[in-house]
Amino acid sequence: MGNYKKHLQIAREKLKAVRDAFDKDLYTVVGDIATKVVEQLIEADAARENIHFGTHRERHQFSGKRYPDEINAAMKKVWFAYGDLGYDGVNGDRAKKAMEHLDQILKFFEKNFGEPIEK
C-alpha cells in the first residue's frame, strides 16, 4: 500500500483548507489548494501500487492513462484554475467552477478508493 494513507490524509487536510478558503472568498488560495488536493489523490492512488512520481509530468502521464476522460478533463480544469485564479483571484465564478470540478473528482476517487474522502 505504500504511502496511500499518508497521501489520503494530506488530501483530506487540504480539502478542508480549500473549502474554508472558498467560504472566505480567498480565491487565489482556492486555485492553489484545489490543485494540491488533486495531486494528493493521484499520489494516494499510485501509492497503492508503490508508485511514486518524481515530476509533475509523470503524475499527468499516470492520470492520462489511468482515469476516464471526464475525470482527466475535470482535473485539467482544476489545474488551469490554479493559473487563472493566481492572476485573476477576485473571480468568484472561476473559483466556484474549480470547486465543482473538485467535487466531481472527489466522487470518482471515493468510489475508486472505496472510502469517503471528506469526513
Side-chain angles (χ1 to χ4, degrees):
M1 290 288 250
N3 291 317
Y4 166 75
K5 289 290 184 188
K6 175 183 156 191
H7 288 293
L8 187 57
Q9 183 56 38
I10 293 169
R12 286 177 172 144
E13 182 178 312
K14 290 183 182 300
L15 182 57
K16 287 179 186 176
V18 76
R19 295 231 188 264
D20 185 54
F22 182 75
D23 290 344
K24 293 178 179 175
D25 300 334
L26 302 172
Y27 300 133
T28 60
V29 176
V30 169
D32 291 345
I33 300 177
T35 295
K36 298 299 183 186
V37 172
V38 172
E39 289 177 349
Q40 289 300 317
L41 292 172
I42 295 168
E43 291 281 352
D45 192 27
R48 297 188 307 167
E49 297 175 24
N50 292 318
I51 297 171
H52 179 72
F53 307 111
T55 66
H56 291 292
R57 182 180 179 158
E58 290 172 339
R59 190 180 301 114
H60 289 285
Q61 289 172 335
F62 178 86
S63 174
K65 292 176 185 173
R66 187 167 187 108
Y67 307 125
D69 290 343
E70 65 271 8
I71 295 304
N72 277 301
M75 288 180 185
K76 286 178 184 175
K77 288 179 181 175
V78 169
W79 289 323
F80 290 141
Y82 170 77
D84 292 348
L85 289 167
Y87 293 105
D88 188 19
V90 296
N91 189 337
D93 290 333
R94 185 70 182 96
K96 182 179 180 197
K97 287 189 186 306
M99 295 300 291
E100 289 169 356
H101 293 296
L102 184 59
D103 286 336
Q104 178 185 4
I105 294 163
L106 290 169
K107 287 178 189 173
F108 170 80
F109 277 100
E110 285 180 339
K111 184 176 178 183
N112 189 25
F113 294 162
E115 66 178 297
I117 294 169
E118 198 159 25
K119 292 183 174 184

